[in-house]
Amino acid sequence: MAPGIKERISIIEGDITTQLVDAIVNAANPSLLGGGGVDGAIHRAAGPGLLAECRRLGGCRTGEAKITRGYRLPSRFVIHTVGPVWKGGDSGEDELLASCYRNALALAELSDLRSIAFPAISTGAYGFPMERAARIAVRTVMKYVTYHTTIGKVLLVCRGNAAYSLYTDILDKESTGNSEYQMAQALFSHLSMIEASHGIRVKNRVAIVHTLAPAIRNDIQALSTGISLNNWVSATGAYGEVTVPENILQKLLDSLKDTGVWRE
Ligand code: AR6
């Protein structure tokens, strides 16, 4: 059984610098040369090697992310991202904040990391309202781990009990009754079985799951979709690296909509 969403995402109250994960995320500024808040705490705990490496990075744009080693930190790496400064909410702040989480996760995955801890980016000196930021953080991380399986653990680290209970409530609400995650994991495991039994590699795994999982309502539909994909592989005699074509995905989508169990 694939781990549930609450096994992949945990809310922690405490100091991000002490977290034992592959990478901690720094809420930095565009210079990447240090500052107050989390940034100050991370540089103090990591020691001067971190600043020396940051000087060579040439800064970082808002919403983007860069990686360095962790030096004296328990985490091997630091992923630096620059959150948006709050300007009232109509200057693209939400999307920029979401891209901080997405880009940091993508960089962690690219670096083959398995666990990552985030602070509540932009909610201190940059003034982003905590509740709005926490909702974006939880939703963006949930979406990412639904369709990317290599990062096994994401910690959302916040300061103080108020932030902790806010984050916990949001994660509870967003994960209850959210079947997209379970359906995506079921499809990924059906695809893995198909790959193993036919000795193939499905190149567009993520695209397949991304297309089909939101339309699948229960385990039976997930299973029948897996069987249909398996039948397609058998019928075509596909081997080696296989891409399931768009028109087949569309047919599968249509058949999901045709079954009696479909509700909208
Ligand atoms: N561990 C976890 N969370 C923390 C910690 C810690 N050690 N320390 C503070 N927080 P901020 P920003 C929380 O200001 O808003 C810096 O000067 C804190 O309670 O660190 O993105 C940079 O150089 C708050 O909820 O980051 C930039 O100039 C959250 O972390 C600017 O601040 C983020 O607060 C970035 O501002």
Side-chain angles (χ1 to χ4, degrees), residues 44-79:
R44 273 195 300 282
L50 181 61
L51 183 59
E53 186 174 351
C54 282
R55 282 191 204 287
R56 298 195 290 272
L57 295 178
C60 181
R61 278 198 284 258
T62 303
E64 296 183 357
K66 293 197 174 172
I67 190 165
T68 63
R69 293 198 295 130
Y71 299 89
R72 295 178 195 154
L73 287 164
S75 56
R76 280 189 298 137
F77 297 95
V78 178
I79 294 179

Side-chain angles (χ1 to χ4, degrees), residues 14-16 27-29 34-39 41 120-126 130 159:
D15 181 358
I16 198 165
N29 61 64
V38 186
D39 198 4
I121 301 165
S122 283
T123 62
Y126 281 0
M130 178 58 99
R159 279 266 113 135

Side-chain angles (χ1 to χ4, degrees), residues 2-3 8 145-146 149 180-190:
R8 306 256 318 267
V145 301
T146 297
T149 49
E180 188 176 340
Y181 177 82
Q182 280 100 318
M183 295 306 116
Q185 307 316 299
L187 268 189
F188 275 124
S189 78
H190 290 313

